Amino acid sequence: MIKLLEESVINKIAAGEVIERPASVIKELVENAIDAKANSITVEVDEGGKSRIKVIDDGTGMGKSDAELCIQRHATSKIEFADDLFNIHTLGFRGEGLASIVAVAQVVLKTKTKEQETGIKITASGGKILKKEDVAIQNGTSVEVSDLFFNVPARKKHLKTMQTELRQITELITRYALAYPEKMFRLMHHGNDLLFSPSAEPLDNLLTMFGKDAAYAMIPVEYTQKDITVKGFVGNPTLTRADKTMQHIFVNRRPIKNDVIVKAVTDAYHTLLHLERQPVFVLNVDIKPAIIDVNVHPQKTTIRIEKENELYDTLFNAVRNSLDSSKLIPVVESRETFIQAPLIAKNIEEEKQTVFEQVEQTPQDILEKAIQKMTEEKAVEVKPVAVPKPETKASEKISKLKLIGCVHDVFYIAQNELGLVIIDQHAAHERVMYEKLMQQFGDGKIAVQELLEPEQIDFSPTEMLLLKENIETLSELGFVFDEFGGNTMLLRTVPFIFGKNMPKEVVHDVLAQLGEK
Ligand SMILES: Nc1ncnc2c1ncn2[C@@H]1O[C@H](COP(=O)(O)OP(=O)(O)OP(=O)(O)O)[C@@H](O)[C@H]1O
Ligand SMILES: [Mg+2]
């Protein structure tokens, strides 16, 4: 039953504006649906949610008097006393969500419990109930929100483009779909499915949300240390991204942001990751509600925890255990790579002058060797586009190098008049590629190569949106795609400089960059 909170409790709740954009409306409505134990949650939006949002659930619904009360400020069925703030088992607790939405938009709420014959329809706007009617509807609740910020022009002006708002909504639904795999989530834009996540086992859910490339590279995590249990999946070290968009953290199944957890997980990978690559993970942390505080920020995306050190340790151990037990680190290294460096060094020792002259090379020369042989070139005219001027070329910064050797096929050891130079082949290779691509892009001529077998690539729903939005830019860059169905695309051409063995990761990285833009 919904009650109005006492003044003394109200004063203890972190207050502040929670509705900033369409995604914040959807967050409030989806969390209410989850708290109402819905099994299926459908979100319909038009114009990136700017003109219309509708969230439909099959949860408990509300009785007629609760339906009238729920849109009032500080009206909640989830807590009653100040102490309850330290024992929160629901996503909501402030009694503010619906009131904040009704204050800034036109709202039609329909709801029915299974005990009732008919449901009730409430029309409200600008904080006031305009109409109450009985309606014949299914059990559950639907809330339709239109004309967001009709009475707050300043906030309306700050809304981003339809695509940007839609991307935020897709990211939001992705998070809840990952946190609640047993529930069905569906997101539709202008009547078209953007995301559909049926009720599934956690691993099958990952397949839907991340695609098979990523899902097959995930390692399960299940670990308990004292009062904290960590459960979910971490990517094996070959599955990385340029940014943190595929890192999902839930505490007691509430999506949150938390630097301690991210650091613990990233530290657990230690040297298994290349510098500046981000791991992929979906982890839920179960903690006694009594030792965490969710009431820190009105948006409830940050939590305060009493024992941060324990949290760090537990996460670190959980991830390290899973990575170790999946035997990622080969125990026996190839002897050849170990002995390669000393051998070269010995030759240098014996024939100092000649050997040094023979191996004098620029970093590019060294790295070119690492770049696979390329097949037929096919030049394609593209429009010249303004591109950032590359910084000073790496080769100009580092003068002639004398190559000494290569360690583990990863690090080149060289020297010049400044001293010893160690080059991370992977990082330097990327840099050389980048400079070449930018040079070609600037000249308006990107050499592309057609793949003999088109490459099938799976994308997340958010990446799929970005891809469709930027399909022309991508083709100017040399990446030409064909539709395959669902969140899978066929990559037909790649920029020539990458060679035909270009890792799929490059495509995900380019999309991440386009997303930041
Ligand atoms: N979809 C729904 N199904 C059933 N009951 C709902 C639904 N949405 C809201 N309610 C009821 O309305 C009340 C008010 O919802 P509202 O979102 O405003 O506050 P809250 O969820 O209690 O707290 P918060 O402000 O933190 O979200 C809820 O406590 C719940 O009882
Ligand atoms: Mg709520």
Side-chain angles (χ1 to χ4, degrees):
M1 198 182 86
I2 302 182
K3 287 185 182 167
L4 286 178
L5 291 173
E6 304 257 341
E7 197 66 27
S8 59
V9 184
I10 293 170
N11 294 337
K12 290 200 170 71
I13 292 177
E17 199 40 67
V18 290
I19 305 300
E20 288 173 342
R21 51 182 3 96
S24 26
V25 172
I26 296 173
K27 177 178 188 286
E28 294 301 329
L29 299 178
V30 166
E31 290 197 347
N32 282 348
I34 294 171
D35 284 344
K37 303 190 168 49
N39 292 315
S40 88
I41 300 168
T42 301
V43 180
E44 298 173 3
V45 292
D46 291 338
E47 279 178 66
K50 291 198 265 190
S51 67
R52 190 184 77 99
I53 292 167
K54 187 171 183 183
V55 177
I56 306 146
D57 73 54
D58 62 352
T60 55
M62 283 177 269
K64 295 191 180 174
S65 55
D66 274 1
E68 284 179 47
L69 202 53
C70 73
I71 61 165
Q72 279 198 43
R73 269 234 134 86
H74 315 304
T76 182
S77 56
K78 300 172 192 174
I79 63 163
E80 196 171 349
F81 308 107
D83 282 354
D84 297 341
L85 284 171
F86 295 96
N87 192 21
I88 291 172
H89 292 270
T90 45
L91 295 167
F93 57 85
R94 306 152 310 170
E96 294 248 318
L98 287 176
S100 315
I101 298 168
V102 171
V104 296
Q106 328 273 357
V107 174
V108 177
L109 177 145
K110 293 182 197 167
T111 189
K112 178 173 124 45
T113 63
K114 63 178 191 305
E115 290 78 25
Q116 288 171 307
E117 294 264 304
T118 55
I120 181 165
K121 172 178 169 187
I122 305 244
T123 309
S125 169
K128 290 195 183 71
I129 293 185
L130 304 178
K131 214 169 166 192
K132 292 181 269 182
E133 301 154 79
D134 283 350
V135 279
I137 50 162
Q138 307 264 326
N139 298 339
T141 305
S142 74
V143 182
E144 184 161 18
V145 178
S146 43
D147 220 351
L148 183 62
F149 300 140
F150 76 97
N151 53 355
V152 201
R155 242 182 286 167
K156 192 167 187 166
K157 220 176 68 195
H158 276 99
L159 292 180
K160 303 266 165 51
T161 59
M162 179 182 86
Q163 283 92 344
T164 306
E165 297 296 345
L166 193 58
R167 204 164 350 114
Q168 301 220 9
I169 295 168
T170 313
E171 274 172 18
L172 179 98
I173 306 292
T174 301
R175 278 198 287 278
Y176 287 94
L178 287 167
Y180 294 87
E182 76 282 11
K183 298 191 190 298
M184 184 282 270
F185 286 87
R186 179 174 210 165
L187 170 64
M188 300 171 89
H189 189 233
H190 295 151
N192 301 314
D193 266 322
L194 273 190
L195 182 159
F196 178 64
S197 165
S199 162
E201 289 298 316
L203 193 58
D204 293 330
N205 181 53
L206 273 188
L207 262 168
T208 321
M209 302 311 295
F210 286 176
K212 74 173 179 338
D213 290 341
Y216 289 174
M218 300 295 271
I219 304 164
V221 177
E222 192 162 356
Y223 182 85
T224 303
Q225 192 171 309
K226 288 192 186 153
D227 298 346
I228 308 177
T229 296
V230 185
K231 218 168 160 179
F233 297 89
V234 290
N236 75 36
T238 62
L239 176 70
T240 61
R241 289 289 184 264
D243 64 12
K244 298 184 175 176
T245 45
M246 275 171 80
Q247 302 186 345
H248 298 273
I249 306 167
F250 314 113
V251 168
N252 297 343
R253 302 183 93 188
R254 178 193 303 282
I256 56 146
K257 298 193 187 97
N258 187 286
D259 293 342
V260 175
I261 297 179
V262 172
K263 182 156 182 358
V265 176
T266 312
D267 287 354
Y269 280 84
H270 190 50
T271 53
L272 291 171
L273 293 178
H274 271 292
L275 220 62
E276 290 179 23
R277 300 299 299 176
Q278 304 293 336
V280 170
F281 51 86
V282 179
L283 291 172
N284 179 59
V285 182
D286 258 315
I287 312 183
K288 271 201 215 126
I291 58 168
I292 57 169
D293 185 2
V294 190
N295 184 27
V296 180
H297 189 272
Q299 261 137 6
K300 300 178 279 198
T301 47
T302 37
I303 55 158
R304 213 179 282 134
I305 169 142
E306 274 171 29
K307 302 166 184 167
E308 278 199 345
N309 289 347
E310 268 180 33
L311 182 69
Y312 177 94
D313 277 355
T314 312
L315 261 299
F316 182 92
N317 293 335
V319 175
R320 185 40 82 78
N321 268 4
S322 288
L323 291 176
D324 282 352
S325 61
S326 72
K327 298 195 178 52
L328 296 158
I329 312 150
V331 184
V332 187
E333 297 266 359
S334 150
R335 264 180 64 76
E336 254 173 57
T337 49
F338 272 124
I339 56 179
Q340 195 176 356
L343 270 185
I344 296 173
K346 188 166 164 268
N347 290 346
I348 293 168
E349 199 58 43
E350 283 167 10
E351 315 167 44
K352 246 174 202 150
Q353 291 309 316
T354 47
V355 171
F356 274 169
E357 265 167 30
Q358 266 174 19
V359 295
E360 186 165 293
Q361 300 169 75
T362 64
Q364 257 100 341
D365 296 334
I366 295 173
L367 290 159
E368 301 289 271
K369 282 192 199 155
I371 301 168
Q372 59 284 79
K373 293 271 172 287
M374 292 163 184
T375 51
E376 277 175 53
E377 184 164 353
K378 185 170 153 237
V380 164
E381 293 286 333
V382 295
K383 274 188 263 126
V385 192
V387 285
K389 216 173 149 36
E391 294 162 32
T392 324
K393 282 192 176 171
S395 54
E396 286 162 17
K397 281 193 194 157
I398 309 173
S399 65
K400 293 270 180 192
L401 291 173
K402 294 177 175 68
L403 178 65
I404 297 172
C406 176
V407 182
H408 286 257
D409 262 348
V410 174
F411 297 105
Y412 282 93
I413 314 281
Q415 66 173 15
N416 64 9
E417 73 274 7
L418 296 173
L420 188 70
V421 179
I422 299 176
I423 302 166
D424 175 342
Q425 181 195 318
H426 180 86
H429 179 226
E430 268 177 9
R431 180 76 208 184
V432 172
M433 292 307 206
Y434 171 78
E435 280 178 8
K436 281 189 170 178
L437 189 63
M438 281 306 159
Q439 178 80 46
Q440 292 184 357
F441 200 37
D443 296 345
K445 209 177 217 176
I446 289 209
V448 302
Q449 109 172 321
E450 214 155 317
L451 300 171
L452 285 177
E453 280 284 323
E455 178 110 49
Q456 202 171 311
I457 309 183
D458 297 326
F459 296 98
S460 71
T462 316
E463 283 180 322
M464 203 62 195
L465 263 185
L466 268 170
L467 194 148
K468 288 193 168 158
E469 218 178 283
N470 291 287
I471 201 99
E472 274 174 29
T473 312
L474 285 163
S475 129
E476 283 171 6
L477 279 167
F479 300 99
V480 174
F481 290 95
D482 278 348
E483 303 251 357
F484 186 77
N487 285 345
T488 305
M489 296 288 275
L490 288 179
L491 179 62
R492 294 230 172 260
T493 71
V494 298
F496 183 76
I497 54 150
F498 286 115
K500 54 179 189 267
N501 296 324
M502 183 196 78
K504 287 180 183 178
E505 230 112 277
V506 172
V507 178
H508 295 289
D509 290 358
V510 171
L511 283 175
Q513 288 251 317
L514 289 167
E516 271 170 33
K517 190 181 63 142

